[in-house]
Amino acid sequence: GGFRRIMAEGYNCNRLSINYLPAVTAVGHTAVYTGTVPAFSGIISNSMYFDGKWDTPVRDLNVQPVGTRRSEGKASPHRLMCTTMTDELRLATNFRSKVVSISTKDRASVLPGGHCANAAYWMDSESMDFITSSYYMQDLPQWLKAFNKQKLGEKYLKEFGRKKDKQGGWEADFWPLLYGDDTYVQSAGKHTDYYDQRTGTILKYLPWGNTLVADMVIAAIAGEQLGRNPAGVPDFLAVSFSCTDMIGHKVGPNAPWIEDTYLRLDQDIKRILDTLDREVGRGEYIVFLSADHAGSHNVKFRQEHGIPAGTWPYYRIKRELNDSLRAHFGIAVDLVHGLEDHRVFFNDAAISSLPASEGRNEAFKQQLIDYCIGLLLKKENVAYAFEPAKIPAYIPEPVRTMCINGYCPGRSGEIQVVLQQGITEDYDDGNKKDYNGIPLGTNHAVWSPYDTHIPFIVMGKGVRHAWDNRSYTINDIAPTICALLSIQQPSACVGNVIEVEK
């Protein structure tokens, strides 16, 4: 009734891939809904560098939180530079269609909802209520207030063995599996060194975070009367189950608990499809399923099986670059501000504060870039390092095109690093429990298929059942859905329509 039903009834694209760097959450959600690449969307990472500070791509200090007093409610699509297919549906129907977007993460709700969404809701980490911002509305609708009053998040935590510790937080531990241990044949077993034991401190790190999203989706279908638009036009419900990502970072794809997460998600998807069958009518709606990125196997797991693997220690590399720059140029300040997603961002404020003969001299900035590239090319596990606006001719495909697609001038930093295949970023640098300096769980963001091969399945009204092994990109999703809806493609769409219709 869940995944199997979607595959059995839908059009299955088995070879659909991400065609840009980096393969991370905010960029993936944007690409799915815009049909374009970061070069045109402006959403280049989960954390972006603006006015000398790091920020998320959706944080907006000019809006107010709604449903909470916490800053988690300050979000909008103000940094998205193009339209989404949800925007185009609103435009095509003269804003009579409703667009509602739901997730635990703000970016996974705001970016799919686009600029014109009627509502985008995400979860407050502390209260576990669904909230929004004044970009969309001044007050939560009554149906959502009633939903939040149920405190289902706390109910799930208590029901499945979580209780509050002396500090008022929730105790962390792995949850009991849905089925017998011996049935998790796709997993490496419970007792290994691959998994971070610190899961379950908040609902986002538990499969019941997905269950709460499904509860919210079902409440929204009824509360907003989605699929029953009096104007006779389609409505759009965008849903992102983000707990798979949060849990995946902790345990990687080989843990029985990630297998269990998907088994439980299967039940939640079935509940949603059953609700749509009942409320909208079987065969009277379209559903598509995809992902914003994938993820690698745990580093130690790969090494134990003879597969090349290593780590990219984020903070250690950053520290080494700054130490070398200070020594080489005789400067007392750190000039590298970050290495987000294997890109080097310089501290523009620090550079500008240097004497005019250095800080305001473009030749000096170029010296910094050239020197850093030289240092990076000597680092273990680095395949290439270069200025993204000056990609060397020797960079091979598909990496060359992926770097071009991922580069947005003014937002993407001064240096692009491409790691050797099999290298996983350790963004905690071993500060968490690890195995001889090797991080637990996993990460993503690189060009290799294990991070960029994602599913795309569409089923429902007008869609035929088939299995398609031809190659497509993430940018082909939006134009395909737009074709099914007979609406314009998003304003920066570079994808092509996949022929899924009957």
Side-chain angles (χ1 to χ4, degrees):
F3 288 119
R4 181 175 292 183
R5 175 182 169 186
I6 294 175
M7 290 188 290
E9 296 182 17
Y11 192 97
N12 299 260
C13 295
N14 298 330
R15 291 292 177 264
L16 187 135
S17 298
I18 290 169
N19 59 344
Y20 53 76
L21 285 175
V24 295
T25 299
V27 192
H29 281 85
T30 303
V32 167
Y33 282 83
T34 63
T36 198
V37 294
F40 296 135
S41 72
I43 305 300
I44 58 98
S45 182
N46 291 331
S47 184
M48 297 168 63
Y49 190 37
F50 295 99
D51 301 323
K53 298 179 181 178
W54 290 107
D55 207 348
T56 77
V58 298
R59 181 176 295 280
D60 187 349
L61 299 180
N62 294 315
V63 301
Q64 298 302 314
V66 175
T68 182
R69 295 181 179 179
R70 303 178 70 238
S71 61
E72 277 188 296
K74 287 180 172 284
S76 82
H78 67 299
R79 287 173 172 146
L80 177 61
M81 293 162 47
C82 59
T83 66
T84 60
M85 57 178 161
T86 45
D87 289 331
E88 295 299 334
L89 178 62
R90 293 274 284 157
L91 288 165
T93 62
N94 197 25
F95 302 96
R96 292 176 295 168
S97 289
K98 275 189 177 181
V99 170
V100 177
S101 189
I102 298 169
S103 180
T104 51
K105 295 181 180 179
D106 55 1
R107 58 183 177 266
S109 179
V110 169
L111 295 169
H115 301 277
C116 302
N118 298 84
Y121 301 113
W122 55 95
M123 193 178 80
D124 183 305
S125 296
E126 188 174 275
S127 68
M128 292 174 282
D129 290 342
F130 280 89
I131 61 174
T132 189
S133 78
S134 59
Y135 179 88
Y136 304 98
M137 62 191 71
Q138 298 303 311
D139 193 15
L140 296 180
Q142 289 302 316
W143 69 263
L144 181 50
K145 290 181 179 179
F147 179 84
N148 284 337
K149 282 183 179 178
Q150 298 177 72
K151 293 296 178 185
L152 294 177
E154 289 195 14
K155 173 186 172 185
Y156 288 135
L157 287 176
K158 292 175 182 177
E159 182 177 347
F160 295 100
R162 297 298 184 277
K163 58 188 178 191
K164 289 192 174 181
D165 58 25
K166 294 179 180 178
Q167 287 73 41
W170 294 93
E171 289 185 346
D173 194 8
F174 281 122
W175 61 88
L177 298 175
L178 188 61
Y179 303 111
D181 291 3
D182 59 346
T183 67
Y184 289 76
V185 296
Q186 285 296 116
S187 304
K190 283 186 172 181
H191 307 292
T192 74
D193 296 315
Y194 315 140
Y195 319 136
D196 189 339
Q197 299 293 323
R198 298 179 299 170
T199 63
T201 51
I202 56 175
L203 198 64
K204 291 179 181 180
Y205 288 98
L206 291 165
W208 296 284
N210 287 335
T211 300
L212 183 60
V213 167
D215 294 336
M216 173 67 172
V217 167
I218 292 169
I221 291 171
E224 297 289 345
Q225 290 290 288
L226 297 176
R228 299 178 178 180
N229 197 302
V233 295
D235 297 322
F236 201 119
L237 177 59
V239 183
S240 179
F241 291 104
S242 296
C243 297
T244 52
D245 174 75
M246 306 288 280
I247 297 167
H249 276 292
K250 290 285 188 180
V251 301
N254 302 105
W257 294 281
I258 197 70
E259 187 174 355
D260 194 69
T261 295
Y262 279 93
L263 289 168
R264 294 177 186 274
L265 178 58
D266 180 69
Q267 296 180 339
D268 291 325
I269 290 174
K270 179 182 185 301
R271 288 198 295 133
I272 292 173
L273 295 179
D274 288 347
T275 300
L276 291 171
D277 287 346
R278 183 174 62 253
E279 301 297 326
V280 180
R282 188 170 183 132
E284 294 301 317
Y285 58 87
I286 295 168
V287 169
F288 79 90
L289 182 149
S290 189
D292 49 327
H293 57 75
S296 63
H297 294 289
N298 173 262
V299 173
K300 185 196 172 193
F301 174 86
R302 284 178 280 160
Q303 291 177 344
E304 286 184 350
H305 291 276
I307 299 171
T311 61
W312 170 256
Y314 176 102
Y315 289 104
R316 191 188 318 161
I317 299 295
K318 176 183 172 183
R319 184 171 62 250
E320 290 174 359
L321 288 179
N322 277 317
D323 289 346
S324 296
L325 288 171
R326 282 199 301 270
H328 183 78
F329 291 98
I331 295 170
V333 295
D334 286 346
L335 298 184
V336 173
H337 194 51
L339 289 171
E340 191 71 17
D341 296 322
H342 320 133
R343 293 163 168 154
V344 177
F345 293 81
F346 286 106
N347 190 333
D348 294 329
I351 293 173
S352 297
S353 69
L354 297 173
S357 60
E358 295 179 332
R360 294 181 174 84
N361 189 324
E362 286 300 317
F364 174 72
K365 182 73 169 288
Q366 189 63 52
Q367 290 177 35
L368 292 178
I369 293 172
D370 293 342
Y371 187 72
C372 277
I373 288 175
L375 293 174
L376 288 164
L377 288 173
K378 296 176 183 177
K379 297 291 183 186
E380 185 182 12
N381 299 330
V382 171
Y384 307 106
F386 50 85
E387 291 183 70
K390 305 174 185 177
I391 300 179
Y394 57 77
I395 304 299
E397 296 290 0
V399 174
R400 182 182 183 84
T401 294
M402 295 175 81
C403 291
I404 292 171
N405 288 343
Y407 176 63
C408 182
R411 294 192 177 190
S412 294
E414 284 83 5
I415 299 173
Q416 174 74 60
V417 178
V418 178
L419 302 177
Q420 298 284 2
Q421 39 290 16
I423 306 306
T424 300
E425 182 172 10
D426 179 7
Y427 52 78
D428 280 348
D429 281 9
N431 290 328
K432 57 187 176 182
K433 180 180 180 292
D434 60 3
Y435 176 81
N436 293 336
I438 296 175
L440 301 174
T442 193
N443 208 337
H444 51 89
V446 304
W447 71 270
S448 297
Y450 51 74
D451 275 9
T452 57
H453 179 199
I454 59 174
F456 175 53
I457 312 172
V458 57
M459 62 163 272
K461 189 170 185 177
V463 178
R464 60 192 169 99
H465 170 60
W467 295 88
D468 188 343
N469 287 316
R470 289 170 292 183
S471 295
Y472 301 103
T473 76
I474 191 172
N475 300 141
D476 298 332
I477 295 174
T480 300
I481 301 302
C482 287
L484 289 170
L485 294 173
S486 297
I487 62 174
Q488 179 64 283
Q489 296 178 359
S491 60
C493 184
V494 297
N496 299 299
V497 175
I498 302 171
E499 298 295 340
V500 302
E501 295 185 73
K502 293 180 179 177

